[in-house]
Amino acid sequence: MEGIEVLDIETLRGHEEVIPSNLKSRIAKLQERGFYKPIIADRSSLVILDGHHKWTAARNLGLARVPVLLVGYLVDRSVEVDVWPDCGKSSITKQEVLEMGMSDSLFPPKTSRHTLPFKIPSISIPLSDLLD
């Protein structure tokens, strides 16, 4: 695990679509609690590994910045990726995740499933701190 940074929301790149009903729920949670868990992203490419719904909700709420926990995705072998059951793929690689994040396309929701070797830290950042 590296460090949590507050990054410009537009610097991050998604690799999966979001589920509309989950997005509505995430928006409500952010409005109620602020950011309580950071988005997880690759340090080198800024591709989101976990937190697509938070990122999209933050964009919908007009936030300029978001808290991000950056990890060395390709070099840290303890950060693993697999697929969710019934996602339509039998396997996925870290390289495929990064390539999709750098493209203009997205995987369907809940395609990649990341396992991290640490607990994602709790944070407390009010949305007002993340506006322009």
Side-chain angles (χ1 to χ4, degrees):
M1 177 171 67
E2 298 182 35
I4 296 175
E5 298 183 25
V6 177
L7 301 179
D8 182 322
I9 198 166
E10 297 303 326
T11 62
L12 296 173
R13 302 182 64 95
H15 76 272
E16 284 185 349
E17 297 169 342
V18 297
I19 300 167
S21 60
N22 289 8
L23 179 58
K24 288 179 185 178
S25 170
R26 182 61 57 196
I27 288 170
K29 283 183 182 178
L30 282 177
Q31 288 175 316
E32 178 185 325
R33 299 170 62 184
F35 262 88
Y36 51 94
K37 294 280 184 184
I39 293 167
I40 311 299
D42 172 50
R43 178 174 287 285
S44 297
S45 64
L46 298 180
V47 170
I48 297 168
L49 308 176
D50 183 64
H52 288 87
H53 288 88
K54 282 183 261 188
W55 177 60
T56 305
R59 291 175 86 185
N60 287 352
L61 291 169
L63 301 183
R65 296 171 300 284
V66 289
V68 181
L69 178 60
L70 298 169
V71 298
Y73 188 48
L74 290 178
V75 297
D76 188 342
R77 292 185 182 183
S78 65
V79 177
E80 299 176 355
V81 65
D82 200 353
V83 292
W84 285 95
D86 303 320
C87 75
K89 289 180 68 69
S90 60
S91 65
I92 194 168
T93 66
K94 289 181 177 184
Q95 195 60 43
E96 287 175 305
V97 169
L98 295 181
E99 286 172 2
M100 187 61 78
M102 300 306 287
S103 77
D104 290 330
S105 299
L106 297 171
F107 284 122
K110 296 295 184 189
T111 298
S112 67
R113 181 178 186 177
H114 288 89
T115 304
L116 304 170
F118 51 83
K119 183 178 177 190
I120 298 172
S122 293
I123 57 175
S124 180
I125 301 176
L127 298 186
S128 60
D129 290 357
L130 302 170
L131 294 167
D132 261 340

